[in-house]
Amino acid sequence: MIAVTGEVLIDLITDSDGCITPRLGGGPFNTARAIGRLGLAVAFLGRLSADRFGRQLQASLEADGVTLAVPGLTDAPTTLAVVDLDPAGSPRFRFYLDGTSAPGLEYPAMAAALPGGLTALYAGGLALVMEPIATSIDRVIGSDLPPGALLMIDPNVRPEVIGDREAYLARLSRILHRADVVKISSEDLAYLAPSVSAPAAAAALLGQGPALVLMTDGPRPARALLRDGELTAEVPEVQVVDTVGAGDAFGGAFLAWWCGNGLTRADLHRHGPVQEALQAAAEAASLACTRAGAEPPWLAEVQDRPGWRSAFGAPHQPPSR
């Protein structure tokens, strides 16, 4: 069982004509859906609203095979992000967080929601900044994570919502000491280490605890940095609609491929499986770029691609719409 914790929200996507389209979003929410669509058992530890948006988000999790582990819905309104797309389809976000649903997950509820038989936990995004969920994640990782469970972190840094940079970096440093895998983008690294090149900053993260750092850089090759070397995978060229959720599809696909093939945190030093999982993740992310909003691919859509031909399981068909 894989658990994903973090925010769930609605992306209000604004196009060049000023038209606004609401889409389901939130990095960890997208990641959980990616894992579920690839056929893995996954539980989402996040707080959803009882409003109409919240019910839509809950229905989407269920349709994609994700269990909502935190019982009950809150009366707080659904968290919102306004997304402006540039001509290349890259998003710029503005967030509406105060008094909304996503931040409001207290530690006792999160700890109680951790599923039994946990093999991996994925955490990150805005949830490492918003309170009380940020403190809840910090405490769960420090106190409640089973020793054998793989921990994957995606900071998915949003500088515009970080009010106290030093406190944020201190929390991230604590979490990285327990992390096994860090998925990070070149944009994230520009915030975390502004005076250092992205590859050097990514490599430096290995010294904080993780065994593996996965670095994405848009259409450029994805990198896997291990303590004894570096691997790369080309990102397949596609017709980009937008890049919303591409990084989430990448992280979810890597973790799904890894756990679905029976690999654990003890295997993260093995170059062969890391190379295959990196390729599989790049392929899933590129497919996510071919449609509007965060829509990760299904197993049936990736199974014939090079990174997935030797992967686990039978095709998991998308539901009819």
Side-chain angles (χ1 to χ4, degrees):
M1 169 65 75
I2 299 172
V4 176
T5 186
E7 75 275 6
V8 52
L9 49 78
I10 292 293
D11 287 326
L12 300 176
I13 299 180
T14 306
D15 65 19
S16 58
D17 295 325
C19 295
I20 297 175
T21 303
R23 294 193 180 275
L24 314 183
F29 170 81
N30 298 335
T31 300
R33 293 172 60 223
I35 295 169
R37 288 186 175 195
L38 292 169
L40 275 289
V42 57
F44 183 70
L45 281 67
R47 181 66 77 192
L48 272 67
S49 174
D51 63 17
R52 178 169 295 185
F53 279 147
R55 294 194 300 272
Q56 290 176 342
L57 291 160
Q58 183 180 24
S60 176
L61 289 173
E62 293 172 353
D64 291 338
V66 182
T67 299
L68 182 59
V70 179
L73 303 176
T74 178
D75 289 333
T78 294
T79 305
L80 299 177
V82 176
V83 187
D84 293 318
L85 299 177
D86 69 16
S90 296
R92 184 180 63 194
F93 295 87
R94 295 182 184 274
F95 297 97
Y96 295 82
L97 309 179
D98 291 348
T100 64
S101 56
L105 185 55
E106 300 279 358
Y107 166 73
M110 180 179 288
L114 278 177
L118 187 68
T119 56
L121 174 66
Y122 184 107
L126 287 173
L128 299 182
V129 182
M130 306 183 299
E131 293 292 358
I133 191 173
T135 295
S136 301
I137 290 173
D138 200 352
R139 289 186 62 185
V140 162
I141 289 171
S143 305
D144 302 280
L145 197 60
L150 185 153
L151 176 61
M152 185 171 181
I153 299 296
D154 180 0
N156 200 12
V157 179
R158 303 298 184 198
E160 58 270 29
V161 300
I162 299 174
D164 187 335
R165 175 182 168 85
E166 295 305 315
Y168 172 76
L169 294 178
R171 169 172 286 139
L172 186 58
S173 179
R174 285 195 302 273
I175 290 172
L176 290 179
H177 275 85
R178 170 57 180 87
D180 300 295
V181 181
V182 177
K183 182 268 166 188
I184 199 153
S185 69
S186 56
E187 292 86 354
D188 296 335
L189 292 164
Y191 176 85
L192 298 176
S195 61
V196 182
S197 70
L205 293 175
L206 293 170
Q208 297 193 46
L212 177 64
V213 174
L214 306 173
M215 177 185 159
T216 60
D217 190 15
R220 288 164 285 280
R223 303 185 184 198
L225 293 86
L226 303 92
R227 291 172 185 165
D228 63 348
E230 178 179 327
L231 306 168
T232 62
E234 295 292 329
V235 176
E237 186 174 344
V238 296
Q239 185 68 41
V240 174
V241 174
D242 68 46
T243 62
V244 176
D248 309 322
F250 181 98
F254 184 94
L255 191 56
W257 193 101
W258 197 260
C259 294
N261 282 293
L263 298 164
T264 70
R265 60 190 305 221
D267 298 301
L268 289 169
H269 68 284
R270 297 172 57 193
H271 285 218
V274 170
Q275 179 70 67
E276 291 186 66
L278 184 68
Q279 177 75 40
E283 291 165 355
S286 68
L287 274 177
C289 294
T290 64
R291 38 227 182 179
E295 288 294 338
W298 296 80
L299 182 56
E301 296 178 284
V302 298
Q303 64 173 344
D304 291 330
R305 294 176 181 261
W308 294 90
R309 287 173 188 159
S310 61
F312 51 89
H316 188 59
Q317 296 290 346
S320 56
R321 296 292 185 181

